Amino acid sequence: MIEIVPYSTEWPARFAQEAARLRSALAPWLVADIEHIGSTAVPELGAKPVIDLMAPVQDLLAARPAIAAAVAAGYCHFPYKPDQMHWFCKPSPAVRTHHLHLVPWGSALWHDRLAFRDELRSNGPLAREYERLKLALAARDPEDREAYTEAKSPFIASVLQARRSRMGEA
């Protein structure tokens, strides 16, 4: 069930605690610091109460052994978008408290996820608009995570395009 809850001031601490655990478990493959992404990374934004962590790796092939290390750290691996990332959830597919995304550092996905998070952090009205969209989508598709995620894509793309235009990027 997709449930959007009010922002919790505990989320940054939960991220920090999990990131510290993962820095140790994934140290051989990390090329920069682990980032807190997703809605729980945006103060005052309602979200699914799942902490999203994005861990930077050199490339997906070199990071394949990190899959076993993440599994040993309590994560379940799924081949979700395997051409873009290694994706995990914890503690189980049915009950999720954390999502882990091993993403090539410097890739378009890496930059887009950080840019979207930063846009929401710096623009309260935009964050509230995104929250309204998420609430409506969760009400419309409460049992379909994939439909919920896909339906957010046009909003995310428009925010990223506006940012690129504002910054003079192609």
Side-chain angles (χ1 to χ4, degrees):
M1 172 110 181
I2 299 168
E3 179 184 18
I4 307 299
V5 302
Y7 179 78
S8 172
T9 57
E10 295 176 11
W11 291 341
R14 287 180 53 208
F15 161 77
Q17 181 180 30
E18 193 66 14
R21 286 184 64 245
L22 289 170
R23 273 185 212 100
S24 176
L26 301 176
W29 303 279
L30 295 177
V31 296
D33 204 12
I34 297 170
E35 294 281 348
H36 189 186
I37 60 167
S39 295
T40 62
V42 180
E44 304 308 317
L45 179 62
K48 295 189 313 285
V50 178
I51 305 300
D52 281 286
L53 301 102
M54 185 168 66
V57 296
Q58 186 64 39
D59 61 62
L60 296 178
L61 183 60
R64 287 214 43 88
I67 293 172
V71 168
Y75 283 83
C76 301
H77 176 247
F78 288 93
Y80 175 71
K81 298 187 179 183
D83 57 323
Q84 296 179 20
M85 71 180 107
H86 298 306
W87 188 89
F88 308 81
C89 65
K90 176 183 170 182
S92 73
V95 177
R96 300 178 186 186
T97 59
H98 297 79
H99 289 160
L100 172 62
H101 314 248
L102 301 187
V103 176
W105 188 69
S107 66
L109 180 62
W110 178 266
H111 288 294
D112 284 351
R113 291 213 167 150
L114 294 178
F116 184 67
R117 176 201 67 193
D118 293 347
E119 285 295 305
L120 294 176
R121 283 179 171 175
S122 67
N123 185 332
L126 181 68
R128 286 188 293 283
E129 182 182 350
Y130 186 52
E131 182 176 51
R132 285 190 299 274
L133 172 65
K134 294 186 326 159
L135 288 165
L137 295 174
R140 185 185 81 189
D141 294 311
E143 303 296 331
D144 191 341
R145 285 178 183 267
E146 195 65 32
Y148 168 83
T149 299
E150 278 303 310
K152 294 186 301 180
S153 294
F155 180 90
I156 295 167
S158 72
V159 168
L160 292 172
Q161 184 55 47
R163 178 186 172 97
R164 287 183 191 103
S165 295
R166 198 174 62 250
M167 299 185 140
E169 300 172 8

